[in-house]
Amino acid sequence: MARRPMVAGNWKLNKTIPEALALVTELKNALASVRDVDIVVAPPFTALWAVHERLVGTNIGLSAQEIFFEDAGAFTGKVSGPMVKDAGCAYAIVGHSERRQHFHETIETSNKRVRAALKAGLMPILCVGETLDDRQKNNTTKVVAEQLDGGIAGLSLDDLKRTIIAYEPVWAIGTGHVATPKQAQEVHGMIRDRLRSRDTAMADAMRILYGGSVKPDNAHDLNEEPDIDGSLVGGASLKAADFIAIVRATRGTH
Ligand code: 13P
């Protein structure tokens, strides 16, 4: 089944507003003719609105890097789904391993965020992935399955049709140690099989992105795998030339 690949750039804690505008201006000019890949950028909250205004009418979508699960109230420092939707976002990354590691994100709170994103009309990009320790102990399947099952718990079939999964092995993030296409495919295939037990058509349509040291020189081979439907790019999304090359390398792989 043909799935439309997606390449999303997670900028993490990087880019002032002028830097963000300079980067997306390069992206939109270079990628204007791309029609077969969904291109998404996830700037920090402070740059969302400015980037949104710069991207109106282009083929590049906007994502938040995180949202809180309550919509409004006495939660100092938090930003909600309706707020990022208001700032122009169509997507929200949820459950990134850096949030699990540094900000007490759990499977339960990720699930609340996935539901909050859907309720706000956003498409959640749910991140799952094992640590090096998990992998060395042969716990990859168990850990990823738990994060997946818990992250999408309670979602209707309609919700799942608006959800994207990103497999990001923690040991590959920011390390330069990309998973081999075979290693990644094994987990992507397992994720899709699990989704199949819920509904075959939904599972076949679900985009499963790979993240962790994706670069221009490895993006094509990763995306040649049958269950890899694009990438969630960190470091290489901060450089226009690299991100553009990753999008181009993804074209025609599905
Ligand atoms: P790197 O591409 O820098 O390894 O980061 C991946 C990531 O965490 C994307 O969300």
Side-chain angles (χ1 to χ4, degrees):
M1 134 129 220
R3 288 177 291 272
R4 192 178 157 79
M6 170 178 287
V7 177
N10 174 11
W11 295 3
K12 309 189 180 182
L13 181 52
N14 294 288
K15 303 288 180 190
T16 61
I17 295 170
E19 288 167 352
L21 289 174
L23 176 53
V24 289
T25 302
E26 276 195 73
L27 299 182
K28 83 177 178 134
N29 291 338
L31 297 172
S33 63
V34 175
R35 290 280 165 260
D36 49 358
V37 178
D38 283 341
I39 308 164
V40 175
V41 291
F45 289 130
T46 45
L48 284 177
W49 178 250
V51 167
H52 164 67
E53 287 197 303
R54 185 64 55 96
L55 292 179
V56 170
T58 72
N59 58 339
I60 303 180
L62 193 62
S63 177
Q65 296 176 19
E66 122 84 0
I67 54 165
F68 190 48
F69 47 75
E70 297 289 348
D71 285 351
F75 301 103
T76 302
K78 292 295 184 193
V79 174
S80 68
M83 287 173 171
V84 301
K85 174 94 173 152
D86 186 42
C89 288
Y91 306 89
I93 298 170
V94 172
H96 192 281
S97 62
E98 287 152 16
R99 298 211 49 88
R100 295 181 197 257
Q101 188 186 342
H102 302 300
F103 302 107
H104 312 293
E105 184 84 81
T106 64
I107 291 174
E108 289 70 30
T109 59
S110 295
N111 179 245
K112 287 183 172 183
R113 282 169 163 84
V114 166
R115 293 174 193 225
L118 289 161
K119 190 172 125 220
L122 298 160
M123 295 175 73
I125 303 173
L126 171 68
C127 301
V128 297
E130 81 287 2
T131 63
L132 185 59
D133 189 52
D134 295 331
R135 178 162 281 264
Q136 285 171 341
K137 290 182 175 144
N138 272 330
N139 283 335
T140 299
T141 301
K142 178 174 167 285
V143 167
V144 172
E146 272 171 16
Q147 291 172 349
L148 176 71
D149 294 354
I152 63 172
L155 264 56
S156 68
L157 210 46
D158 275 351
D159 288 339
L160 288 165
K161 287 180 185 159
R162 296 195 292 126
T163 299
I164 296 154
I165 307 293
Y167 168 56
E168 297 209 317
V170 178
W171 48 270
I173 295 177
T175 59
H177 298 302
V178 63
T180 64
K182 184 169 170 287
Q183 282 175 322
Q185 168 58 31
E186 266 172 24
V187 180
H188 282 236
M190 180 276 287
I191 291 172
R192 201 176 307 284
D193 276 349
R194 265 190 116 71
L195 294 168
R196 266 199 195 104
S197 66
R198 176 79 189 266
D199 184 85
T200 310
M202 175 276 292
D204 284 344
M206 175 78 77
R207 261 97 56 93
I208 308 175
L209 315 182
Y210 168 80
S213 295
V214 175
K215 306 285 178 218
D217 64 359
N218 58 34
H220 180 82
D221 286 355
L222 285 162
N223 281 290
E224 284 283 282
E225 294 295 331
D227 290 301
I228 301 184
D229 310 311
S231 24
L232 182 54
V233 187
S237 71
L238 300 173
K239 294 186 210 123
D242 284 359
F243 191 70
I244 291 162
I246 291 169
V247 172
R248 292 199 174 128
T250 307
R251 299 186 71 183
T253 49
H254 275 62

